Amino acid sequence: MRSASLVRTGLTNEVVAHLVDYEASDLPESWKAALALCDWLSGFEHSGVIPPEMYERLSEHFNEQQILRLGALLASASGWHRMIEAFGIRPDHYSEGQSNPWAAAAG
């Protein structure tokens, strides 16, 4: 996986590559907990309250306010992503007939 936008924010290509299988990576445990929350919030196969084991894992690294802020940020980003997918929004540099910008990441 490569992401120019993530690299522009300061992440290295090496870190971005770890995101594909973050649980098996050497990323910090706090990042893994946050990424697990991201996966859970953006998933379609579940609903309802965050499982207690996930909340416990998050609590090892973040206080309650930080967990809520993280959840709000992730919900906003996930909603934005779903909206651009639903309306077929493409980057300005996208040309008709070109594979979509995220096709390479999907493998």
Side-chain angles (χ1 to χ4, degrees):
M1 174 197 277
R2 296 180 58 86
S3 174
S5 61
L6 289 176
V7 171
R8 278 194 306 272
T9 66
L11 295 177
T12 65
N13 281 322
E14 179 183 34
V15 170
V16 172
H18 286 309
L19 298 178
V20 174
D21 187 12
Y22 62 86
E23 289 291 4
S25 75
D26 61 355
L27 291 172
E29 291 302 316
S30 59
W31 289 30
K32 291 179 185 182
L35 289 165
L37 177 62
C38 181
D39 281 348
W40 195 89
L41 289 174
S42 63
F44 293 104
E45 63 279 348
H46 56 263
S47 63
V49 177
I50 294 172
E53 59 275 3
M54 179 174 289
Y55 190 81
E56 289 173 26
R57 182 179 183 189
L58 289 163
S59 296
E60 291 175 13
H61 308 284
F62 308 103
N63 63 39
E64 286 185 26
Q65 184 179 27
Q66 290 170 321
I67 293 170
L68 288 174
R69 285 181 175 176
L70 181 59
L73 174 67
L74 294 171
S76 181
S78 179
W80 178 256
H81 175 74
R82 289 180 184 188
M83 191 272 305
I84 64 171
E85 283 287 314
F87 289 95
I89 297 170
R90 301 291 184 258
D92 290 340
H93 63 275
Y94 177 76
S95 300
E96 191 63 40
Q98 177 183 11
S99 63
N100 62 38
W102 44 88

